[in-house]
């Protein structure tokens, strides 16, 4: 294991302090917790939004904390759900009097711990709603999941629910728009090489020298097929068609697209991949309102990519285009 | 070699088309070239700025094309200088009547080819000035270099010269401020693992399972020392002190800092590294105006990091903070 770290026990702690050191005007760490909130939290009269999960997916989720997106992000250990008390601290810190929405990726531990935190908060009189993101169409159940996994589509939930909250909308309305994104966003990934959880010290799975895996999860959970490495264009077709067939989209419809590198795949290759995706979108006559190509929801140093598509209507489009000012997602 | 590509001969071409497909409102490819320019180039009455070099360093340089930074970026093959005719096309396309500044990283091929392009342009009556960035303090000469290499500090030259040009400054003044950045910016990198140029098919160098290299260049050029892997904090100290001793800085001075991942080092580890750098900066009482942590000047999928520091005066600080609107560097 070759990692630029000090000790496996201190990675998350040092990462969080490194983030606040780099972005002192944007982020604040709640003392004694693994929670980062926006500097000015809580914002009075605005619904607070909290997301989070295991670490190792950076910039998710603290990179999306700031005006127009999240109010707080809770970091667990690497690939491990944060505990309910940490989530509870985040909820309390971002509650500006209009309640708090929790955006949870669909993993059993996350769902359980965020729900327990919601109960703790409600017991203290804080109104909490939650949504569970399950955009990964690869498999129905998985190592850590009942139902579909939540992956890079989660970032679009942050963006759009965050924009709605920034308008001053009520908790029910922020919740409804988040559900609308979840209903309309689908993703699927693939990997060329695994990643190593620092505390484990060895890769979570192995792939042969000429092998790739289709449908891998962001923690290295098994996908749907192992094959010889295919050209980027063919790989794009596999992911695109599986996603598209779930989308209920027609010629002329509008979409937002995320090409998400999982960690060690160079940006060069992500653009080569997007070149293929763009042709497939044109073949279907899908109009792309926004395409982002980069690293948005990573899996440590895994090599691979995921493809995310969100079907837009006028409401979602307006909120997608609204201003946001976070470390990793700046608009307007 | 496990890469998400179609054919090694088409990578740069597909990458460039993938970039314009993703960012059609920002970038335009000059037909039949490997040049990307800002959509509205040339901007009349503004000095044009062109940079570029071998591909494989994305987002450098096309990710920095747009208002407030570069007007055009020229892409060579992977780790190979673009040819003079390509650079010449870029110069012609961005010349808005006030001349063009070339920002060249100090590699023998780049310097030679950009200079030849400048001569071609001047023969057609376009005023051209050039600067050569040599921020890497690791070694004095190298495989591809006479003098010091140009690495991630180049991005700050793009930013600050771009802001000066956006003010409507004359070519001599844009040139002067670019030289001022170059004089005040220093960098140094290290690597944990090599990268593979697609056409070569195998890594450019090898490192043992427990080895790291200090001072590696962004093409895998040899550094200054191979050692057992050190903790991130100790690695940060080595890079910081070598850079700092060249900086002529005193307690209370202001700086901008880049923590640059070379490709496969997770953002988590870059923040762990920055956590250590931040302490060293505080020890020296250096005030950090801006710190960016991410991938700015990569080396395909190399694992490692480089540290860049720019000493700021009031002029450089104002230009650093000025608005820019590019794919990979948005401010204001």
């Amino acid at each position: 294991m070759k990692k630029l770290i000090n000790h496996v026990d201190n990675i998350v702690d040092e990462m969080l302090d490194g983030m606040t050191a780099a972005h002192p005007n944007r982020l604040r760490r709640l003392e004694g917790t693994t929670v980062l909130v926006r500097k000015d939290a809580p914002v009075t009269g605005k619904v607070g939004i909290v997301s989070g999960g295991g670490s190792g997916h950076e910039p998710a989720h603290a990179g999306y904390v700031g005006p127009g997106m999240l109010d707080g992000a809770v970091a667990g250990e690497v690939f491990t759900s944060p505990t309910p008390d940490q989530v509870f601290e985040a909820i309390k810190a971002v509650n500006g009097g209009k309640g708090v929405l929790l955006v949870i990726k669909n993993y059993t531990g996350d769902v359980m711990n965020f729900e327990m935190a919601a109960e703790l908060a409600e017991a203290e009189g804080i109104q909490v709603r939650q949504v569970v993101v399950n955009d990964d169409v690869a498999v129905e159940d998985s190592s850590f999941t009942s139902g579909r996994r939540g992956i890079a589509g989660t970032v679009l939930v942050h963006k759009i629910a965050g924009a709605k909250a920034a308008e001053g909308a009520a908790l029910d309305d922020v919740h409804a728009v988040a559900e609308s994104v979840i209903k309309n966003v689908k993703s699927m990934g693939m990997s060329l090489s695994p990643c190593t959880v620092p505390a484990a010290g060895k890769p979570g799975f192995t792939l042969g020298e000429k092998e790739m895996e289709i449908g891998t999860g962001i923690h290295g959970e098994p996908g749907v097929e192992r094959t010889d490495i295919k050209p980027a264009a063919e790989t794009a077709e596999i992911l695109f068609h599986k996603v598209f067939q779930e989308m209920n989209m027609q010629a002329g419809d509008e979409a937002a697209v995320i090409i998400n590198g999982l960690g060690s795949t160079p940006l060069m290759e992500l653009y080569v991949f997007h070149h293929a995706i763009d042709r497939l979108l044109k073949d279907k006559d899908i109009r792309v309102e926004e395409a982002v190509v980069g690293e948005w929801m990573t899996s440590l140093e895994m090599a691979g990519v995921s493809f995310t598509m969100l079907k837009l209507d006028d409401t979602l489009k307006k909120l997608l285009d609204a201003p946001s000012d976070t470390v990793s997602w700046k608009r307007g």
Side-chain angles (χ1 to χ4, degrees), chain A:
Chain A
M1 179 177 74
K2 303 184 91 167
K3 291 191 186 279
L4 187 66
I5 59 174
N6 291 301
H7 190 286
V8 292
D9 292 344
N10 303 334
I11 296 175
V12 172
D13 185 55
E14 292 176 8
M15 171 185 73
L16 294 170
D17 281 346
M19 293 193 81
T20 54
H23 315 294
N25 300 325
R26 297 175 179 282
L27 299 175
R28 176 163 61 87
R29 183 172 178 180
L30 300 183
E31 211 175 310
T33 76
T34 59
V35 177
L36 297 184
V37 298
R38 54 185 276 188
K39 189 67 181 287
D40 58 353
V43 181
T44 307
K46 190 187 86 68
V47 168
I49 305 185
V50 168
S51 192
S55 294
H57 305 300
E58 292 71 26
H61 295 273
Y64 307 118
V65 170
M69 291 184 81
L70 301 178
D71 295 83
V74 193
E77 286 300 312
V78 177
F79 292 1
T80 302
S81 175
T83 52
D85 61 306
Q86 299 289 311
V87 181
F88 181 37
E89 293 300 324
I91 294 171
K92 286 189 287 185
V94 309
N95 175 38
K98 284 184 89 162
V100 175
L101 178 73
L102 306 182
V103 179
I104 311 166
K105 298 196 301 300
N106 189 32
Y107 299 97
T108 307
D110 285 353
V111 172
M112 192 171 66
N113 290 350
F114 276 74
E115 277 181 1
M116 285 175 62
E119 285 167 22
L120 293 169
E122 280 163 353
E124 291 210 359
I126 303 174
Q127 204 187 354
V128 180
R129 300 291 301 268
Q130 47 201 289
V131 294
V132 178
V133 189
N134 58 353
D135 55 318
D136 186 347
V137 302
V139 295
E140 291 305 319
D141 297 299
S142 178
S143 336
F144 312 124
T145 324
S146 167
R148 289 177 168 181
R149 304 173 295 216
I151 57 172
T154 309
V155 181
L156 296 171
V157 182
H158 298 164
K159 176 65 188 75
I160 288 173
K164 189 73 183 174
E167 288 181 352
L171 180 57
D172 280 350
D173 297 328
V174 177
H175 177 263
V177 83
E179 289 289 17
S180 172
V181 177
I182 291 169
K183 193 176 145 215
N184 287 289
V185 69
K186 308 291 173 199
S187 303
M188 186 161 158
M190 56 74 61
S191 57
L192 285 167
S193 71
C195 61
T196 296
V197 173
K202 60 184 178 54
F205 63 101
T206 53
L207 278 170
E209 260 310 294
K210 302 193 168 190
E211 260 187 336
M212 62 190 269
E213 179 159 323
I214 303 288
T216 324
I218 56 171
H219 312 93
E221 307 97 306
V224 289
E225 189 191 5
R226 287 194 175 195
T227 74
D228 280 358
I229 296 179
K230 297 179 193 295
E234 200 176 323
T235 305
E237 272 186 49
I238 294 169
L239 300 189
F240 179 85
H241 286 303
K242 179 84 170 126
V243 165
F244 191 77
Q245 75 185 22
E246 303 252 355
M247 293 289 297
N248 187 29
M249 290 188 78
Q250 299 172 347
D253 281 350
E254 287 187 295
V257 164
I258 298 178
I259 308 299
N260 176 55
L262 295 180
S264 64
T265 294
L267 192 49
M268 160 181 277
E269 297 175 31
L270 299 180
Y271 277 115
V272 166
F273 181 84
H274 180 64
H275 177 247
I277 289 287
D278 184 65
R279 289 182 178 194
L280 297 163
L281 289 161
K282 287 196 167 77
D283 282 349
K284 299 284 188 192
D285 195 20
I286 302 302
R287 293 159 54 198
V288 178
E289 170 68 11
E290 175 164 14
V292 296
V293 180
E295 295 182 352
W296 316 102
M297 177 73 73
T298 60
S299 306
L300 298 168
E301 72 284 359
M302 196 184 291
V305 64
S306 67
F307 168 64
T308 294
M309 184 150 61
L310 168 66
K311 180 181 175 179
L312 291 171
D313 57 23
D314 289 347
T315 302
L316 298 185
K317 186 173 159 179
K318 186 172 72 71
L319 294 166
L320 180 71
D321 291 343
S324 60
D325 186 17
T326 73
V327 174
S328 299
W329 199 283
K330 290 187 179 67
R331 295 294 181 277

